[in-house]
Structures are given as C-alpha cells and as structure tokens.
Amino acid sequence: MRWSKVLNVVECHAGGEIGKVVTGGIGDVPGETMFDKKVYLEQHLDDIRKLLLFEPRGGVAHSANFVLPSRHPEARLGYVIAESTEYPAMSGSNTICTATVLLETGMVPMTEPVTELVLEAPAGLIRLRCECRDGKVTGVRFTNQPAFAYHLDAKIEVEGLGTVTGDVAWGGMAYVPRRWGSRSRRTKAGTCACRAS
C-alpha cells in the first residue's frame, strides 16, 4: 500500500461536540495570522477538511481543528477551525478540544492544578485557564474576542414568512437572536466559561 498523506488526529469532545484535533501532517500554512491561514486552507487545502469531516470519516456534527505555528509573540500555538460547511473564526467547543489535546498529549506542558495558555484563533488571541488533575484537563475557561452587532433591526426576507426584523450579532459565530415580545434581548458578551466533561 502506498500512502499519499498521513495526518496525526486526536479526537476529543466538549459537551458532546466532536472535535478532531490535527496535531501533525499539515506543516505550516502561509499567512501572518490565523485568519490568513484560515483563508489559505479554504482556498488551497479544502480537501483536508472534506477528508476528515465528510463520510465515511466524519459527519455533519464533527469539526476539525488544525494546530499550526503562530507568529503572534503572545501565542503558544494557533489553530484553524473547520466545520462540515465552513471555517468559522471562533468556536468555544473547538477551543476547548484544542486546548485539551495540546495539554493531554504533551504538545504544551501541563502545570497542575492550573495551566494558563494563550492560543491564536482566526478571530484573534484566546486566553485560556485550564484546570488540570492527574494528567487530565478537567475544566477550561477562556476569554473570547468581544461580541458585536453586525446589524440592528435588519429587514430579512424569509421564504414562507415574509419580512422578518432582527439583529445580527457575532459572538464566535453569527446569530440572529430571537425576539421576545416587542423588545429584543441584547447582551454584552466577552467571556465564556465552559466545563469539559
């Protein structure tokens, strides 16, 4: 048998969401930032995303995280997130999976009971506080990039519903929050605290 490509992949999950963390086999990807590297992967190496996330190796609920060298002086490493349909700039569950794999495989030294870590995502620097015990990551907290509103009171045409008015916000992904009554619920977000199981 002749192998054309070998990838090192560690599967992990955060809250039931499956994250395949690619720890080797890609090498470095051109770009100054993780966002630049994300764009390069989308345009030139999308076959790797499809290999990992489409049947028979993946599924619609699977994600992949490509661990790459970061050029940012504060970041230990960087990662690019790939989902079955896109390359999002940030994802909480994928961040937890990536940090867990980096620490539990020894790619980044683990300090018990807490390891502080800075990683670069396509959205920017993510500062993590990982609780560790007996060589395992037991909890991850991180500070996300600030949330913001793309559009307030945007008029959106929805087939079968007509014109719907809503706010479009970013908080790791783009969302249209559901309106409750005549007032929408707007929140300020910036810190996400999550527990790995």
Side-chain angles (χ1 to χ4, degrees):
M1 173 183 270
R2 186 173 189 176
W3 297 70
S4 61
K5 182 163 230 21
V6 176
L7 299 173
N8 298 322
V9 181
V10 179
E11 288 199 357
C12 187
H13 74 89
E17 292 192 33
I18 300 165
K20 298 172 186 240
V21 182
V22 181
T23 60
I26 295 178
D28 198 2
V29 173
E32 284 300 310
T33 67
M34 283 303 128
F35 188 86
D36 297 338
K37 292 173 188 256
K38 172 187 99 69
V39 171
Y40 185 89
L41 284 163
E42 283 177 307
Q43 295 175 353
H44 302 286
L45 296 173
D46 196 43
D47 59 313
I48 298 172
R49 177 186 67 89
K50 292 175 182 174
L51 175 75
L52 293 169
L53 300 180
F54 288 12
E55 295 290 346
R57 292 170 198 86
V60 71
H62 294 198
S63 297
N65 304 284
F66 304 114
V67 176
L68 301 167
S70 173
R71 289 180 175 75
H72 196 289
E74 290 184 62
R76 182 64 185 244
L77 287 165
Y79 62 107
V80 172
I81 305 154
E83 295 183 346
S84 60
T85 58
E86 66 179 335
Y87 291 80
M90 179 53 191
S91 164
S93 62
N94 285 291
T95 298
I96 292 169
C97 287
T98 301
T100 299
V101 167
L102 291 174
L103 291 169
E104 290 187 5
T105 62
M107 289 182 68
V108 172
M110 180 186 290
T111 303
E112 295 183 18
V114 174
T115 303
E116 302 279 345
L117 181 61
V118 178
L119 298 174
E120 183 187 1
L125 292 182
I126 308 297
R127 298 179 190 286
L128 300 104
R129 179 180 168 84
C130 304
E131 297 169 20
C132 307
R133 185 176 62 243
D134 299 326
K136 294 296 221 178
V137 175
T138 60
V140 177
R141 294 175 186 262
F142 62 88
T143 302
N144 199 351
Q145 290 292 308
F148 60 90
Y150 279 118
H151 304 281
L152 297 177
D153 298 321
K155 306 273 189 247
I156 304 165
E157 290 299 320
V158 179
E159 188 176 328
L161 293 177
T163 303
V164 176
T165 303
D167 301 335
V168 181
W170 186 89
M173 296 288 278
Y175 298 95
V176 178
R178 180 177 174 188
R179 290 184 178 250
W180 302 95
S182 62
R183 298 184 336 178
S184 74
R185 298 174 70 202
R186 294 187 181 133
T187 60
K188 270 180 118 173
T191 300
C192 175
C194 305
R195 284 226 158 318
S197 56

